Amino acid sequence: SAKTLTPPLAFNPSARLRDSSDCEMPALRGSLILAACAIALGQAPRVVRLKWPIDAPVDAVQYTVNALSPDELASMAGFFADMPLDAYLDTVSRTRRFGKYMVDGLYSSHPKLEFKGSTFVQTGTYNELVRSGKMALVRHYAPHPPELFETKGLQRLLEHLVSSMRSMDADPDVPWEFCIHAIRLTPPGQVTPEGIHRDGYHFVLSAVVSRLGVEGGHSLVHSGKKEAPMLDVPMAAGDTLFINDRAVYHSVTNVSAVPSVEEGGHRDVIIITLRPWPTDAAGELVDDVALAQLSLLEGTLEVPAPEEDSVATS
């Protein structure tokens, strides 16, 4: 059953990034954007902002260096150590937890965050693997322990997230769906086997919590599905990437192990996808998980569950 996590999350949506330095470069493209931005600022950039299209009134991309401090990262690190294996993807060794939450009062000092389950739905409209029947439409994951929400790392990340949403004109007067994924990738493998894609949400936040003994895994942002990246960043621990999922596409390059690291290499990330809570034609809130499960039961959608031999084992 749904429950409200306590204590209330102490968002401060009006707060800017601590000691941030902004670099807005709406027309610049290519993977050298960070170097060019550093030259423009005279120092390493704190926040890189991109608009797409270039005459858009608000940002489409915000890449933040060191958005999370070492202490904040350390407060979340232990939650990645014992996550269950992800049974729905066999292109990379991946463990995962997931939770869906309804957020009311987005810009208030204490938004209400209500747990709505740990079942994830992503249609074939945005995921080629689902469309081709290679991945389940309805996926069940282990939920996050409530203690994760009490860490100063996740508190800070959500604060940063809401501030970014405000800067991109997110509507504060509707309930929002926050889907929070905690993922550990162990090399080698494909991080995004679906390639250049959109997730089907309004906004997507990626935050690297730990990166150890891993090469590759660059986060790329594209203006189109067949376009070269307009942003290419390796994302160190503490960095975040916030994008308007309706304006741009994204992907992540493959990961491999650093030869000098014999075992234990990993890339720990938190991904949060956001959209106004879905409604029906009458404006009533709807449950997309229930609708998807009903479609499967009625036979109007036939998407196979993962094969037994594709489930990773320890």
Side-chain angles (χ1 to χ4, degrees):
S1 60
K3 63 179 181 180
T4 301
L5 295 175
T6 56
L9 297 179
F11 296 157
N12 183 4
S14 62
R16 292 196 61 193
L17 293 174
R18 295 165 299 208
D19 304 321
S20 66
S21 299
D22 292 349
C23 178
E24 184 175 345
M25 308 197 70
L28 185 61
R29 295 175 58 102
S31 59
L32 296 180
I33 185 169
L34 293 184
C37 190
I39 293 171
L41 288 174
Q43 59 183 7
R46 182 72 182 213
V47 185
V48 174
R49 303 176 184 274
L50 291 172
K51 293 182 178 180
W52 193 260
I54 60 175
D55 58 351
V58 296
D59 299 332
V61 181
Q62 295 177 1
Y63 172 60
T64 306
V65 178
N66 296 328
L68 300 172
S69 70
D71 284 347
E72 290 164 346
L73 295 172
S75 73
M76 297 185 289
F79 291 93
F80 289 84
D82 60 350
M83 297 194 300
L85 289 165
D86 185 342
Y88 299 98
L89 186 65
D90 60 1
T91 61
V92 66
S93 177
R94 182 162 81 173
T95 59
R96 184 174 189 156
R97 289 185 183 272
F98 169 77
K100 183 167 75 170
Y101 306 84
M102 180 185 288
V103 176
D104 274 318
L106 185 65
Y107 297 160
S108 68
S109 59
H110 292 87
K112 178 184 176 183
L113 188 81
E114 184 179 354
F115 178 61
K116 291 292 187 178
S118 57
T119 299
F120 178 55
V121 171
Q122 187 179 38
T123 70
T125 303
Y126 297 98
N127 191 321
E128 170 63 30
L129 295 179
V130 173
R131 186 162 58 249
S132 63
K134 296 178 180 178
M135 182 177 283
L137 169 70
V138 179
R139 289 172 254 163
H140 306 281
Y141 295 106
H144 301 291
E147 293 79 11
L148 175 64
F149 291 84
E150 299 172 5
T151 65
K152 56 185 176 181
L154 192 62
Q155 291 276 326
R156 175 58 192 167
L157 184 61
L158 292 170
E159 198 173 87
H160 168 59
L161 168 64
V162 174
S163 179
S164 296
M165 292 177 69
R166 178 191 285 270
S167 75
M168 292 192 188
D169 291 342
D171 187 349
D173 298 323
V174 299
W176 281 79
E177 177 186 292
F178 280 33
C179 289
I180 304 178
H181 308 251
I183 300 171
R184 166 168 285 187
L185 296 168
T186 303
Q190 288 180 289
V191 182
T192 53
E194 63 269 50
I196 301 171
H197 67 285
R198 285 174 171 160
D199 288 338
Y201 290 81
H202 277 48
F203 305 107
V204 179
L205 173 79
S206 301
V208 176
V209 176
S210 176
R211 183 184 173 102
L212 174 66
V214 172
E215 293 178 336
H218 285 219
S219 293
L220 311 178
V221 179
H222 311 256
S223 61
K225 193 171 178 63
K226 297 182 179 180
E227 299 295 329
M230 60 194 300
L231 183 69
D232 177 348
V233 287
M235 291 192 67
D239 294 355
T240 63
L241 179 65
F242 185 75
I243 64 172
N244 180 339
D245 193 48
R246 298 160 297 168
V248 295
Y249 293 76
H250 63 279
S251 62
V252 182
T253 63
N254 296 347
V255 293
S256 59
V258 174
S260 59
V261 178
E262 294 184 2
E263 60 181 30
H266 59 260
R267 181 177 183 264
D268 293 346
V269 297
I270 289 179
I271 298 172
I272 306 178
T273 57
L274 310 118
R275 63 178 176 177
W277 196 273
T279 57
D280 61 18
E284 299 295 325
L285 302 180
V286 298
D287 184 346
D288 62 343
V289 172
L291 291 176
Q293 290 174 326
L294 179 62
S295 297
L296 289 172
L297 288 172
E298 292 179 343
T300 55
L301 282 173
E302 294 184 4
V303 182
E307 298 292 335
E308 287 296 326
D309 59 5
S310 69
V311 177
T313 58
S314 58

